[in-house]
Amino acid sequence: MSEMAAPSATYRIQVQPGFTFAQAAAAAPYLARLGVSHLHLSPVLEAVPGSSHGYDVVDHTRVRAELGGEQGLRELSRTARDHGLGLVLDIVPNHMAVPAPEHLNGPLWAVLRDGPGSAHGDWFDIDWAALGGKVLLPVLGEPLPDAMGALSVVRDKAAGGRVLQYYDHRFPLRAGTEGLPLPELLEAQWYRLAYWRTARTDLNYRRFFTIADLIAVRVERPEVFAATHATVLRLLREGVADGLRIDHPDGLADPEGYLRQLAEAAGGRWTVVEKILQRDEPMPAGWECAGTTGYDALDRIDGLFTDPQGAADLDAFHRDYTRAPDDRGGRWEPTVRRAAHRVVTLDLAAEVARLRRTAERVRAGLPGARPYPPDVMDDAIREVLVRVPVYRPYVPPGGPAGAADEAMLERAALGAREALGQGPGGAVDFVRDLALARPAAGRGTDPAADADADDFTVRFAQVASALHAKSVEDTAFYRYTPLLSLCEVGRDPGRPATAPADFHAYCAAVQRDRPTTGTVLSTHDTKRSADLRLRLAVLSELPEVWREWMGRREAREAQLDCPPAPNPQVRYTAYQTGVGLGFCHPDRLVPAVLKAVREAGLHTTWTEQDEGYEKAVAEFVEHGPCGVQVYDIGEFAGRLEPYATANSLAAALLHLTMPGVPDVYQGTEFPVHTLVDPDNRGPMTGPMGGTQRFGVGGTLDGLLAGQVPRGADEAKLLLTAVALRLRRDHPQWYGPTGAYDPLAADGPAADHCVAFLRGGGALTAVTRLSRRLEQAGGWRDTVLPLPPGHWRNRLGAGAYRGRVPLAELFADSPVALLTR
């Protein structure tokens, strides 16, 4: 792959012990025929044994043995290249696993054994001063005094000698402490073993979000970057891989600096980053990468198939049905704010405490400055954090802040002052100035104070990103549930719809600014697959039908002697999820609803589980939606199916032909209805995997040879293959230099058509809001004026020129892909 060359399209494969490099190689011939240019692999470096995702890396120097090792990866690469395919690798610069046994992570093992003076002492973001020179390890199942009987010193050959054992855990011993009595031995170590619940308040290392067994790596340090990227960079240099996907750049101390260093080290290879942008948030201009992984595209595409008035009607019905208070699921904005307060106060208490300690040290160095009480400082930090409307600011240590971050944090501080009843010049303004790296916050007084001020600026942004992810995606999305398709990564339920003009403006900006950015519809991180979301989106076109159907559920449950739902919110969520699936099975729906109520944190949580409540949830879901009412759900989902299929095909065609580089998630060349992980992360050979649906190779060849698709499965497969092959074979249409020209329909139903021309040679036209279109009387005399020339439909038999009636263009399918 030449420098900076971009894929035409990628195909994401979840490599895992159940689907190895060898199995991925076996799929390469089919994927080449499908039309992608690159295989996009989930993380391939050594991870926690048995990991199904690979984001819990333990060793950056080795390719994961369970997947086939480096030899297996090289063989996959050779097979892929034999079929004209390249490889894109997913890498994880932000964190490593804290595994059991701990010696699997060599750098962490060295730090635990030798402390901050270890050769790896700068690898991890540990606040050594917080616990008197120790790092907290919250791994015990009970408080330390009660766990003493389970601790012992043993000889472990794999760990290199005598170690401290606690069940599956192994901890290194500081030199010279092996023979001490157990209480003294524990006290002599560089770590402090603790009850797992103390992680929330006492943890003194930065972690990934709130996950204590993922410890953050200080990749901003040159030696850490070099060590953690050497293997991946070597694989790029040697032609084994061609491009990169960067996991969670917002967790890094300096994302812009990291990407600049990576681009130089990788020779400018095509790189996309998992940056989740809000609707009006631009990509940071200085980031040296092709663009995002594509959640911004998902937002615009999904929005085209959501009726705004219907979404508002569902919101009102949901509030009436569930009787949820405004800030506990009744209304979006209050729900987000309450969720943020909960997360920053409870789940991120340790992170807030670290920010406060840093701020106190800065304040202590200011001549004549009086200290703020700890609770005042904590409140100020929390109230500013919860008002950061995006993932994080990007203020470099020492400043200056950009204009957008200045304005954003000024607004946040104003709101925080009002909430706390503070005037200007108080703790809130001090926090704001630190976050913005302003001189007024104490810079320039002495080197130690400068270092602390820089530390606050960096850590504030990192905590903001964790808070946003945990409060919005992992809490509010599970509390506010009028239309579950809106509760998706990259989406904003407060802005549910996309007007065609806004979609065209977005596409034009992508083609102008970052034409090789990524685009997606389904990923391993989406809460629901695209086809499931697009089925639920139909509810926004018939909210009155959903209202009437849900109104009968409670009476139907009583009639059938179903266990009662614990509350209306559970009933609402379970039934809508079941409709999205189309036909419920308790093995899938029960875990999904249990995860939803734990994430919501209103009645039970992951860490404080209410067993009685969860039992009631499970019994209701198993015997209600998945039991006596499963056929009711299937019947209702069937009523949605014609419109859901139209949505699915239209969204897929837009995704595959709009500006950017589309990523096709494994199996989604077919209709796939999956829920949040782990439901959506199975191996490609599982029931959701496309290559196992049927004799897929022969079916694909027949469709490409002209066979008429039979059913939705074959229709989506044909659409995907035709679009991908056009992208691959005609870079002058779809590549970085290809033009994007919106086309406007003319007539009473014009807004139900989205159409555009790519590079002057290929034309996409799709139907949107097909149920509303039907209610309004169909296309009637609406036409699509085609550019000059003769055009034929690559997805059917039609040939067209001039002003084409849309009733004719869409007579056999809700989508058309025309070429001259």
Side-chain angles (χ1 to χ4, degrees), residues 209 276-278 332-333 335-344 347-348 385-386 388-391 464-481 486-494 527-528 599-600:
F209 295 162
I276 300 167
L277 297 166
Q278 303 307 291
W332 174 242
E333 291 296 341
T335 296
V336 172
R337 181 60 54 83
R338 181 174 181 129
H341 273 287
R342 174 188 178 274
V343 171
V344 79
D347 301 313
L348 296 175
L385 279 169
V386 299
V388 176
V390 295
Y391 260 70
S465 73
L467 173 59
H468 191 92
K470 295 303 297 181
S471 60
V472 176
E473 295 166 19
D474 293 345
T475 305
F477 275 178
Y478 292 96
R479 294 183 175 184
Y480 177 83
T481 57
L486 302 181
C487 300
E488 189 51 84
V489 183
R491 297 227 66 201
D492 178 357
K527 308 293 186 186
R528 296 161 189 88
E599 296 281 19

Side-chain angles (χ1 to χ4, degrees), residues 526-792:
T526 45
K527 308 293 186 186
R528 296 161 189 88
S529 65
D531 295 304
L532 193 153
R533 297 194 312 273
L534 291 161
R535 176 184 285 161
L536 292 181
V538 179
L539 298 179
S540 72
E541 300 182 68
L542 35 78
E544 69 288 345
V545 177
W546 172 250
R547 176 191 290 267
E548 188 273 335
W549 188 79
M550 277 299 296
R552 298 200 306 265
R553 293 307 93 199
E554 193 167 3
R556 181 77 168 144
E557 290 163 15
Q559 177 187 2
L560 296 169
D561 198 27
C562 170
N567 55 61
Q569 180 81 327
V570 168
R571 182 185 295 110
Y572 192 102
T573 298
Y575 279 118
Q576 195 171 116
T577 304
V579 168
L581 284 171
F583 193 88
C584 301
H585 193 286
D587 288 350
R588 296 179 67 199
L589 190 59
V590 170
V593 177
L594 283 175
K595 179 168 184 171
V597 297
R598 289 170 182 162
E599 296 281 19
L602 295 173
H603 304 281
T604 186
T605 71
W606 291 104
T607 55
E608 285 88 24
Q609 293 181 12
D610 184 325
E611 294 183 3
Y613 181 82
E614 294 193 2
K615 181 180 179 183
V617 169
E619 289 181 347
F620 164 71
V621 175
E622 182 174 357
H623 298 289
C626 292
V628 294
Q629 302 209 65
V630 67
Y631 295 105
D632 292 347
I633 286 177
E635 184 274 337
F636 187 82
R639 295 167 65 182
L640 308 182
E641 203 52 35
Y643 318 110
T645 297
N647 285 354
S648 177
L649 294 176
L653 187 57
L654 291 175
H655 174 221
L656 298 176
T657 58
M658 69 187 290
V661 176
D663 183 54
V664 178
Y665 189 63
Q666 59 180 31
T668 60
E669 65 269 35
F670 301 95
V672 167
H673 298 85
T674 51
L675 302 173
V676 69
D677 66 282
D679 192 68
N680 65 348
R681 292 187 181 184
M684 197 170 151
T685 50
M688 297 301 120
T691 59
Q692 298 299 311
R693 281 293 184 93
F694 40 76
V696 68
T699 301
L700 177 58
D701 290 343
L703 291 170
L704 292 171
Q707 290 180 7
V708 177
R710 295 167 298 178
D713 277 17
E714 292 190 5
K716 191 176 182 188
L717 177 62
L718 174 62
L719 179 155
T720 303
V722 169
L724 287 173
R725 285 164 163 251
L726 279 180
R727 289 194 73 97
R728 182 191 63 194
D729 297 342
H730 295 279
Q732 76 276 19
W733 296 346
Y734 293 106
T737 61
Y740 177 88
D741 296 300
L743 297 177
D746 182 17
D751 271 356
H752 289 277
C753 175
V754 175
F756 52 80
L757 185 67
R758 294 303 316 275
L763 190 155
T764 292
V766 307
T767 306
R768 65 183 289 264
L769 303 179
S770 57
R771 165 70 176 186
R772 294 293 197 204
L773 174 66
E774 180 183 83
Q775 289 174 318
W779 290 111
R780 291 159 283 168
D781 56 355
T782 308
V783 300
L784 180 65
L786 299 182
H790 295 266
W791 298 83
R792 70 182 182 95

Side-chain angles (χ1 to χ4, degrees), residues 100 104 146 207 270 280 331 336 392 494 510 563 587 707 718 720:
L104 294 175
D146 300 318
R207 53 191 164 164
W270 182 79
D280 297 323
R331 298 182 189 274
V336 172
R392 57 168 281 178
V510 168
D587 288 350
Q707 290 180 7
L718 174 62
T720 303

Side-chain angles (χ1 to χ4, degrees), residues 105-116:
N105 184 335
L108 178 61
W109 183 262
V111 170
L112 297 178
R113 183 188 61 220
D114 302 328

